[in-house]
Amino acid sequence: MVWGGIGPYGYRTQLLHFEQNVNSFTYCYELIKKGIFADLKSKFGDHYVWQEDNATPHSASLTQSILKKCVPQKVQW
């Protein structure tokens, strides 16, 4: 599986490659390890919105608790 983010003015996160099964832990671990949240903060401050679907790794309580601490605003599905 491959994950990536896009934003305004041609902004793109680095692509994350998952060779193993993606669960809440592996999803969050890679986002933090690759500095995705830090990069977004450096580019946009607190002026961005995080969007994801209701896939199990996204909706898990671990993911939700980490996102609550790391992103300023999230689209609710």
Side-chain angles (χ1 to χ4, degrees):
M1 207 267 296
V2 176
W3 177 96
I6 58 171
Y9 313 114
Y11 174 81
R12 295 181 184 153
T13 65
Q14 65 176 302
L15 292 177
L16 304 183
H17 300 266
F18 296 89
E19 294 187 22
Q20 72 277 19
N21 193 9
V22 180
N23 58 35
S24 181
F25 177 80
T26 57
Y27 175 61
C28 294
Y29 178 79
E30 287 297 318
L31 290 171
I32 293 167
K33 182 176 103 178
K34 300 292 184 171
I36 300 299
F37 300 124
D39 188 52
L40 285 165
K41 180 99 171 155
S42 74
K43 301 277 190 225
F44 302 110
D46 286 333
H47 305 288
Y48 71 92
V49 177
W50 187 268
Q51 180 178 348
E52 57 193 3
D53 60 21
N54 272 336
T56 303
H58 300 163
S59 61
S61 60
L62 172 65
T63 302
Q64 294 306 305
S65 67
I66 289 173
L67 291 179
K68 188 178 269 189
K69 296 173 188 171
C70 295
V71 301
Q73 190 172 349
K74 186 173 178 277
V75 173
Q76 297 300 319
W77 283 85

